[in-house]
Amino acid sequence: MKRRNADVSKLRRPVKRGRITENIYGSTFLYLKFILVWAIVLLADYLLEFRFEYLWPLWLLFRSVYDSFKYQGLAFSVFFVCMAFTSDMFCLLFIPIHWLFFAASTYVWVQYVWHTEKGVCLPTVSLWLLFVYIEASVRLKELRNMPFHLDLCRPFAAHCIGYPVVTLGFGFKSYISYKLRLRKQKDIAKENEFYLQLLQQALPQLQKTPVLNSSKSDSDLLRANGSAVSMAVTGGSCSNGAIPSSVVSSTSSPTTLTTTTTNSKQQQQQ
């Protein structure tokens, strides 16, 4: 017998991390990335005197218009743009500027964290509280002087509030239509079940007994004919080993009987 030297490194199983540790590492890295992006944007706002976070809802508007044009046509995309513009103008004219900037900045960061698909959990709630605290205590004080760049950012801030209102309205409309569709489907299913029961009660029951009896009678006849033939062959009366005519007449069909009678008559005439 030959011994085979196996590599010890191949026999060792790789160390697998648990799902809990992977989830912890992934979530911490994700939230650290959010904090880093938020700090970079705040630094850019302070240095360049422009609210760059207000551009993100504008990008979402372009994406939604492109998707609506691609899947629902030009008419719906134009209607959606008109609704968004109307909502932006309403927010620009009727919401005070301090509340407008505060709500716009807070909503942008809350919505950005909400897109992580983590749901409502302790890290997301803590980040939301941090964003609200910074916006209320630090950045809201900058609006007292009203510099020029805030007037430039005011339409974008109005869009940060107007666009979500439009999307929430369309989402509520789709939810209501979905519930109505489910209710209509349930009603139609009930009607279909009622009509199906009526059809089942109206149809007669299938009678399977005659078919079984006929099949049994045919099988009995075949067995009887087979037994008669076997008896004739084993202990028949003919000396030359031929099958008697009585057995042939009992087992043969009418056509074979006619052929045998005609042949016998011809032999007698000869």
Side-chain angles (χ1 to χ4, degrees), residues 17-28:
R17 294 181 178 177
R19 293 182 178 179
I20 299 173
T21 57
E22 289 181 357
N23 292 329
I24 291 171
Y25 291 152
S27 61
T28 53

Side-chain angles (χ1 to χ4, degrees), residues 228-243:
V229 170
S230 62
M231 288 172 65
V233 170
T234 55
S237 61
C238 293
S239 62
N240 57 356
I243 301 173

Side-chain angles (χ1 to χ4, degrees), residues 194-239:
F194 175 71
Y195 291 133
L196 181 62
Q197 290 178 359
L198 287 179
L199 288 173
Q200 290 178 353
Q201 293 176 1
L203 289 174
Q205 294 181 358
L206 295 176
Q207 297 179 359
K208 297 182 180 180
T209 53
V211 177
L212 295 173
N213 293 328
S214 63
S215 63
K216 287 181 180 179
S217 61
D218 294 337
S219 63
D220 293 336
L221 288 173
L222 290 173
R223 288 176 183 175
N225 293 328
S227 63
V229 170
S230 62
M231 288 172 65
V233 170
T234 55
S237 61
C238 293
S239 62

Side-chain angles (χ1 to χ4, degrees), residues 120-138:
V120 179
C121 57
L122 184 60
T124 55
V125 172
S126 61
L127 283 177
W128 290 343
L129 293 176
L130 177 63
F131 295 154
V132 171
Y133 175 75
I134 295 297
E135 292 292 333
S137 62
V138 178

Side-chain angles (χ1 to χ4, degrees), residues 60-202:
L60 293 179
L61 175 66
F62 291 153
R63 283 180 56 187
S64 60
V65 168
Y66 175 74
D67 293 337
S68 62
F69 176 74
K70 185 178 180 181
Y71 296 106
Q72 296 181 353
L74 180 62
F76 183 80
S77 61
V78 172
F79 175 73
F80 184 77
V81 170
C82 292
M83 290 291 293
F85 181 75
T86 304
S87 180
D88 294 346
M89 292 300 297
F90 181 84
C91 295
L92 182 65
L93 296 176
F94 294 100
I95 297 178
I97 189 169
H98 293 82
W99 291 104
L100 181 64
F101 277 91
F102 174 74
S105 298
T106 306
Y107 176 78
V108 166
W109 292 113
V110 168
Q111 186 69 16
Y112 183 71
V113 175
W114 181 258
H115 274 277
T116 58
E117 297 180 356
K118 293 290 184 180
V120 179
C121 57
L122 184 60
T124 55
V125 172
S126 61
L127 283 177
W128 290 343
L129 293 176
L130 177 63
F131 295 154
V132 171
Y133 175 75
I134 295 297
E135 292 292 333
S137 62
V138 178
R139 306 191 74 183
L140 193 60
K141 296 179 181 179
E142 298 177 358
L143 301 176
R144 296 177 181 178
N145 298 324
M146 282 300 296
F148 175 74
H149 71 278
L150 293 179
D151 292 333
L152 182 63
C153 296
R154 188 176 178 183
F156 296 101
H159 176 70
C160 292
I161 303 300
Y163 173 73
V165 170
V166 175
T167 54
L168 287 175
F170 278 100
F172 183 73
K173 174 183 171 297
S174 62
Y175 178 76
I176 294 298
S177 62
Y178 174 71
K179 288 295 184 181
L180 292 175
R181 194 182 303 114
L182 286 179
R183 185 176 180 181
K184 189 175 181 180
Q185 288 177 358
K186 290 180 181 179
D187 294 338
I188 293 172
K190 289 180 180 180
E191 291 181 359
N192 291 333
E193 289 179 358
F194 175 71
Y195 291 133
L196 181 62
Q197 290 178 359
L198 287 179
L199 288 173
Q200 290 178 353
Q201 293 176 1

